[in-house]
Structures are given as C-alpha cells and as structure tokens.
Amino acid sequence: MSQLLICISFALIMGLLFSRLAKKTGLPAVTAYLIAGLFIGPFCLGKLGIGGIGFNSLEQVEGFKIISQVALGFIAFAIGNEFRMHDLKSMGKQAIVIGILQAVITTAIVDVALIGLHFMMPNVISLPAAIVLGAIAAATAPAATLMVVRQYKAEGPLTKLLLMVVAIDDAVGLILFALSFGIAGALESGAISVTSVLVEPILEIVLSAVLGVICGIALDRLEVHFASRSKRMSLAVGFVLLAAGLSLTEFHIGGIHCSFSILLVCMITGTVFCNICDASEELMDRVDRWTSPINVLFFVLSGAELDLGILSNPMVLLIGIVYIVFRSSGKIFGSYISCKMTSCSQAIQKYLGITLLPQAGVALGMAITAASLADGKIIRNVVLFSVMIYELVGPTLTKRSLIAAGEINLEGKSNAREINNKEVKVHNIKK
C-alpha cells in the first residue's frame, strides 16, 4: 500500500514539474503530463526497477486503470455542461451535422486508404483490420481538448462548437465501430450477426442515455437538500462516481449483450443537471477544481501506457503513418465541408478540423475490443502508435488553432499567486 501511494504521488509531482518546463517552451500542460508519463514509464525511469519511482511494467500501469476511468467520467460530466439550452438553440443543429458528417467522412477516407494498402500489400494488413481501423479513426479524445480549453480559458464560438462536436463525435464513433467490427467479424467467420452489428450498439447508446438522465435528475432532486457548498460539491462528485461505476456494468438479456458507455452516461448526466439546476454553473466550477489532480494523473498514466516497443516494428510504422496522414486529412476535410454546409464562420471552417485531431482513450478501448480479430495485435499497435503521435502533437495544434481563431488571449494570462497577493493587498488596505 505504501509503495502504491508513493507511486501515485510521484506520478502527480512529476507531471506538475514537467508542466513548469513546458510553460517555458509554450507547450500545453497536457503534452507535459504525457511526456512526464513517458519519462517515468516502463521504457525509461521504470527500467531502474526502484519501487515507487516510476512504473516498472505496462501491467503496473494497467493496475491504475480505475483512476483513468474516474477521470474520464469527470471529463465527460464537464463536457455535458456545454450542452446548455441557449447554446443548443444557437449551435445544436450545426454541432449534430458536423459531428456526424466529419466522423463518417474520416472513416470513409481511412477505409479507402487502408483497403488500398491491403490490395497493394496483402501481407501487411488484412481487409478486416483495415475496415476496423477506419472506424477507430472517427474517435476524438475529449480529455486533451477540454484540458487545453481550460488551461488557456478559451472562449468563443469555435470553442463552444468544438466541445459539442467532440461529444457527438464519440457517440457516432461507437456506432461506426460496432458496424465495422461486425463486418470485419463476418469477413473472418463468413457469417454476419444483425444483433452485434446493429442491435447492441444502438442499445448501448439508448441505455447510456436513460442512465444519464436518471442520474442527472436524481442529482438535481438531492442537491436542493444541502445548503453548504462543500456538501453539494461532495454530492456531485458522488454522483459522477456512481454514474461511472454503473456504466462499467454489463449484462445479457435473451442473448443480447447489454453495456454502457462511460463517456455518454456521464456526459448526459452533466447535460441534464446543468439544464434543470439553477446553481449548476457554480457547482460545476467547484467540481472542476476538485478534479484537477485526477486529470493530471490521467494524462501521466496515459503517457506511461504508451508502448515505445512498437517503434521497432517497421510494418506498424508503415500502417501507422498511412493511418495518421489519412485520418488527419479526413478530420480537416470533413470538418471543413460540414462547416461550410452549415454556414459556420470562416474561422470555424478553417480551424475546427485541426482541433479534432487528438485521439486517446476511446480509440484504445475500441482497439482492445478488436483484439479478438486475427489481426487484433496489429490494430492495437497501430492505434497505440497514432495515440502517441496525436497526444504529443494534438494539444499544441489545438492551442495554436484557438489562438489563430482569436479565442485564447495569452496576453491576459495571470497566475494564482499574483491574484492572491493582489487580493491580500486590497484586503489590508480596506482594514
């Protein structure tokens, strides 16, 4: 237990120290946390084998998966706060069209590229693997995007639309993956299952929506019984943990596998709560502050989880480069076309696609599901390689795009110590 606590504290401290170094180079804190994870991971500091100082193996990193799940729950809950009715009325239609269309276009472009690679080099990648990787390409990482937005206090139409599209994108990605995975399984086995291809993914979304609505309403009903801000915040934290825990359960009904999406459940919980509770904005802000250390740990652990061993496989590098190039093209082109169709501003048309490049947890989860395919190991390694590239580069590209769109004001930045000192001086003058 002592070694476990030392390991967690070491990861948190190293992540924060690396963020100080990143600040001097202008990199987002998210990138610093990921690099810190790589540094203390099993391919660097962890190789020393010193207990509590770094992660000695990928299996040890996997043992902290509960922290990652909790962090994803709070991140999704915070994104749900962006779906307020006044924003939905002005941007809801645009977000839905863009979220669906850019995901479908990305999948189509990556599918064409990888299927073409299969026919040119059939020994490198199989047809089922190419189809599945195309669907995985649709997924975007909400965590990295949200952290950049928070760190630089980004605000404006691009930021609002981005957070909505990221949430919708993952829901669409789940459906595309389920369809593609079903087709890939059918190609390998010679039989197609309507239940696994259509029924189960749609049921997952419906069940997640119902559970999220129930949790959001229940949180609102109980919140009014507490006057203390700290107790109301504790209640909100408890409900996010409850929603995350319930979303990890699985069961069968008449041979149909039923499951939930932690991202959808927690996002809808946040959406429902923020639209029916008058004090939700203040409460959400307090919850965000409480979860800051968890978010740091989430990215440090994500960095430690990146398997540098895959860089020694030339075939993985080849498929990974094709995947990254065509996924990036799909996101940028798909966003541009869908933004133009929905009459978005020039800035949104130009920069939204770049901000959708980060990819992480959702894609890795899909890759783990695809492990049952014959080329499941290739799929996982390609996704790991792309995640490593996107997570290290993506946050910086998101930051620069938001700056170019005029939604991040770096000149107006100040730190907490300066603000605190000013408040103390004002207080002393008044006394």
Side-chain angles (χ1 to χ4, degrees):
M1 182 64 74
S2 63
Q3 189 171 320
L4 184 71
L5 291 173
I6 292 170
C7 197
I8 292 174
S9 64
F10 184 72
L12 181 59
I13 292 167
M14 289 302 292
L16 293 170
L17 289 176
F18 268 71
S19 71
R20 297 304 303 166
L21 294 175
K23 189 175 182 181
K24 297 181 184 297
T25 59
L27 289 173
V30 176
T31 304
Y33 302 148
L34 290 162
I35 295 173
L38 280 171
F39 178 69
I40 67 174
F43 297 94
C44 194
L45 201 60
K47 276 194 171 182
L48 298 176
I50 303 173
I53 308 300
F55 300 101
N56 306 133
S57 66
L58 290 172
E59 289 73 23
Q60 187 183 8
V61 182
E62 284 281 326
F64 293 92
K65 194 173 182 180
I66 186 171
I67 295 175
S68 298
Q69 295 291 349
V70 168
L72 277 176
F74 281 105
I75 287 163
F77 184 69
I79 289 176
N81 189 40
E82 301 300 321
F83 285 85
R84 293 182 178 270
M85 285 308 298
H86 56 83
D87 291 329
L88 288 173
K89 287 177 182 177
S90 60
M91 285 185 159
K93 184 179 177 182
Q94 287 179 325
I96 292 169
V97 172
I98 295 167
I100 295 173
L101 196 56
Q102 58 81 27
V104 172
I105 289 173
T106 301
T107 294
I109 288 176
V110 176
D111 271 341
V112 169
L114 291 179
I115 290 171
L117 182 64
H118 161 72
F119 284 114
M120 287 189 293
M121 307 172 70
N123 294 330
V124 172
I125 184 171
S126 66
L127 187 58
I131 293 170
V132 169
L133 280 169
I136 293 175
T140 300
T145 304
L146 183 65
M147 288 290 282
V148 171
V149 168
R150 282 181 177 171
Q151 181 186 354
Y152 296 102
K153 297 179 175 60
E155 191 174 349
L158 173 58
T159 302
K160 285 187 177 297
L161 184 62
L162 168 62
L163 293 174
M164 289 184 184
V165 169
V166 164
I168 295 167
D169 178 271
D170 285 324
V172 177
L174 289 171
I175 296 174
L176 290 173
F177 175 76
L179 291 169
S180 298
F181 183 62
I183 294 169
L187 288 172
E188 286 193 348
S189 65
I192 191 164
S193 169
V194 176
T195 300
S196 61
V197 173
L198 288 175
V199 176
E200 290 181 356
I202 292 173
L203 189 60
E204 179 178 333
I205 291 172
V206 172
L207 289 174
S208 299
V210 171
L211 180 57
V213 170
I214 292 171
C215 289
I217 293 173
L219 174 57
D220 175 63
R221 293 290 183 270
L222 289 176
E223 179 267 337
V224 296
H225 297 291
F226 298 91
S228 166
R229 289 179 177 178
S230 60
K231 288 180 180 177
R232 286 160 59 207
M233 183 197 72
S234 299
L235 182 68
V237 169
F239 261 88
V240 176
L241 293 174
L242 176 64
L246 291 174
S247 67
L248 296 176
T249 59
E250 299 178 5
F251 56 93
H252 288 81
I253 298 177
I256 299 175
H257 178 253
C258 300
S259 60
F260 302 89
S261 163
I262 186 170
L263 286 172
L264 289 178
V265 171
C266 294
M267 182 190 74
I268 292 172
T269 299
T271 301
V272 171
F273 178 67
C274 78
N275 281 291
I276 62 177
C277 177
D278 295 334
S280 63
E281 200 157 354
E282 180 262 341
L283 189 55
M284 288 275 199
D285 183 59
R286 295 179 72 85
V287 171
D288 287 344
R289 295 178 189 178
W290 183 86
T291 57
S292 180
I294 297 175
N295 291 334
V296 174
L297 280 174
F298 170 76
F299 286 104
V300 173
L301 290 170
S302 297
E305 221 173 4
L306 297 178
D307 188 351
L308 296 182
I310 61 174
L311 297 177
S312 62
N313 188 333
M315 290 301 99
V316 170
L317 294 180
L318 172 63
I319 302 168
I321 290 169
V322 172
Y323 175 88
I324 289 170
V325 169
F326 284 92
R327 178 183 180 268
S328 302
S329 302
K331 284 291 179 185
I332 294 170
F333 176 72
S335 296
Y336 176 78
I337 292 296
S338 52
C339 286
K340 203 169 185 64
M341 285 176 56
T342 53
S343 303
C344 292
S345 68
Q346 288 293 322
I348 293 176
Q349 290 179 32
K350 187 176 181 180
Y351 298 114
L352 180 64
I354 299 172
T355 63
L356 292 173
L357 292 181
Q359 191 172 46
V362 178
L364 287 172
M366 292 175 178
I368 291 169
T369 303
S372 59
L373 295 174
D375 266 359
K377 189 175 181 181
I378 287 288
I379 293 171
R380 183 178 182 276
N381 286 339
V382 169
V383 173
L384 274 170
F385 173 67
S386 70
V387 164
M388 183 167 61
I389 301 301
Y390 278 127
E391 285 296 89
L392 293 174
V393 177
T396 300
L397 294 176
T398 299
K399 171 194 169 185
R400 290 183 177 178
S401 296
L402 292 172
I403 290 172
E407 300 192 7
I408 289 179
N409 179 18
L410 293 177
E411 298 299 323
K413 287 183 67 178
S414 58
N415 63 52
R417 184 177 285 106
E418 290 173 353
I419 294 171
N420 186 56
N421 288 338
K422 287 178 182 177
E423 289 178 350
V424 169
K425 287 178 181 177
V426 170
H427 179 71
N428 290 336
I429 290 171
K430 286 181 178 178
K431 287 180 70 176

